[in-house]
Amino acid sequence: MTVTVERGGRVLRGHQRHHGRTTRPRRPHSSYALFLLPGVLAFLAVIVVPFLMNTGVSFTDWQGVGSPKWSGLANYRELMDDSEFWASFRHSLFMVIAMAAVPTVLGLVLAAALFDFVGKHFGTKIAAVLRACFYLPQVLPIAVAGIVWSWILAPDNGSLNALLKAVGLGSLQRDWLGDPDFALYSVMGVMVWVQIGFPLVVFMAGLQRVDPQLYEAAELDGAGWWRRFWHITLPQIRPEIYVVLLWCTIAALKVFGAVYVLTKGGPGGATDVPSYFSFATFFEKTQVGYGAAISTVLTVIILVLALIGLKLQTRAEDAEEGLRA
């Protein structure tokens, strides 16, 4: 029990003794473990346990029925010499360009334009409507978006070929998803359309915390839009850029739905990616052990890239705080 004593106009606080012992005020005990327990259990059940089981299967020779036969590192040795896997991995690098690099650049420019130009001259409501329009492909199920784009890119009665013919560019008509020379680039174009909304929304949210006085001071000094964008916008939203690049790169490495709906890895493996290659090996070829090895390697690559990205982001933030200090 706390005792308050007034002495000389000052208030002194002490602890009253009971039976020779001092009683101190009790601190509220808040246990977070109980609240974290459901999330931890879900994480273990949905991610950790399946990953460990998949890793275990990757060391076996198994067709999905019967008893798995232990094969050690045979699947991984075969994977290292598998040209189809490495071709699918190269296609993933193209997907990184389509889903991370291009949307990040376009998202930056569009976010700055909506925030700095449209919002000021046409109102924030117009900017919000345009932002929602750009984000709409992220809301659509990838199966729906893929089917619609397969209609647009169809060789015979597709909208794109019809439009090219109508404007006198019939010589540019292609079987966009059936030609090995154009299929991958067509899928990349679709993924740019799907992905661009996410960076745009993140960057516009980041721009909300930039001090408007920085832009006003730059305008008074005669800086144009591009100089304000390069010297103010980019440095101020650097954390958001790191997050978008990391998130979109991971999404590109594990992309599956769009490839499955649009091309199923074809034609002739021209659009095959590791996730679909693992799926086809696992379910269509029933080489379960080998398919598990592919997905395990892909998971490890994604984890390593995520850790490297987080480390680089932390190092950049620490360096920036050191410069400010």
Side-chain angles (χ1 to χ4, degrees):
M1 179 177 182
T2 304
V3 179
T4 304
V5 181
E6 294 186 3
R7 182 179 299 173
R10 294 182 300 172
V11 178
L12 304 177
R13 296 182 181 271
H15 299 289
Q16 186 176 1
R17 294 178 178 272
H18 289 286
H19 305 292
R21 292 186 299 178
T22 302
T23 59
R24 297 183 179 275
R26 285 180 133 191
R27 295 181 180 179
H29 294 282
S30 56
S31 176
Y32 297 102
L34 186 62
F35 298 98
L36 294 175
L37 185 60
V40 172
L41 293 177
F43 178 77
L44 290 173
V46 176
I47 297 179
V48 176
V49 173
F51 175 71
L52 294 177
M53 293 177 64
N54 181 83
T55 304
V57 171
S58 69
F59 294 105
T60 65
D61 183 11
W62 190 33
Q63 280 71 46
V65 293
S67 300
K69 296 180 181 179
W70 180 262
S71 60
L73 297 174
N75 288 325
Y76 292 95
R77 286 194 294 266
E78 182 181 353
L79 186 63
M80 293 299 104
D81 297 328
D82 192 344
S83 60
E84 292 185 18
F85 169 75
W86 292 111
S88 69
F89 193 76
R90 286 193 298 271
H91 297 157
S92 280
L93 299 181
F94 283 91
M95 289 298 173
V96 170
I97 296 173
M99 296 181 63
V102 174
T104 299
V105 174
L106 292 179
L108 273 170
V109 176
L110 288 173
L114 290 178
F115 184 83
D116 198 33
F117 181 77
V118 176
K120 290 181 178 179
H121 293 82
F122 300 96
T124 56
K125 290 185 178 180
I126 299 297
V129 170
L130 292 175
R131 179 182 59 191
C133 292
F134 281 111
Y135 192 73
L136 182 61
Q138 284 278 315
V139 181
L140 291 175
I142 191 62
V144 175
I147 291 173
V148 171
W149 274 102
S150 65
W151 293 342
I152 294 174
L153 300 175
D156 298 326
N157 54 357
S159 301
L160 180 56
N161 281 340
L163 177 62
L164 291 173
K165 185 177 180 180
V167 297
L169 297 175
S171 59
L172 298 180
Q173 291 179 324
R174 295 287 186 276
D175 185 359
W176 300 103
L177 297 175
D179 189 337
D181 295 330
F182 292 94
L184 181 60
Y185 300 108
S186 299
V187 176
M188 289 172 63
V190 173
M191 296 315 300
V192 169
W193 175 81
V194 169
Q195 198 72 11
I196 195 172
F198 173 71
L200 174 65
V201 170
V202 173
F203 293 146
M204 287 196 72
L207 289 171
Q208 299 290 333
R209 61 179 179 81
V210 180
D211 189 354
Q213 293 182 356
L214 295 175
Y215 292 109
E216 293 174 3
E219 266 189 276
L220 291 176
D221 289 339
W225 181 86
W226 175 252
R227 294 189 65 184
R228 296 198 303 272
F229 172 77
W230 186 259
H231 294 287
I232 298 177
T233 302
L234 286 182
Q236 290 294 317
I237 64 171
R238 189 176 299 167
E240 284 81 2
I241 295 174
Y242 280 119
V243 170
V244 166
L245 282 174
L246 179 60
W247 188 275
C248 292
T249 299
I250 292 174
L253 290 174
K254 62 187 184 68
V255 64
F256 172 80
V259 174
Y260 179 80
V261 175
L262 288 170
T263 62
K264 289 185 169 56
T271 59
D272 205 1
V273 291
S275 56
Y276 185 81
F277 184 49
S278 174
F279 167 82
T281 303
F282 202 105
F283 292 102
E284 297 176 3
K285 300 179 181 178
T286 64
Q287 298 176 5
V288 177
Y290 191 52
I294 298 170
S295 59
T296 300
V297 169
L298 181 61
T299 303
V300 171
I301 291 173
I302 292 174
L303 287 174
V304 170
L305 287 177
L307 292 174
I308 293 174
L310 291 174
K311 184 67 176 178
L312 292 175
Q313 180 181 357
T314 303
R315 185 178 299 176
E317 291 176 353
D318 292 341
E320 187 174 350
E321 290 180 0
L323 291 174
R324 290 176 181 175

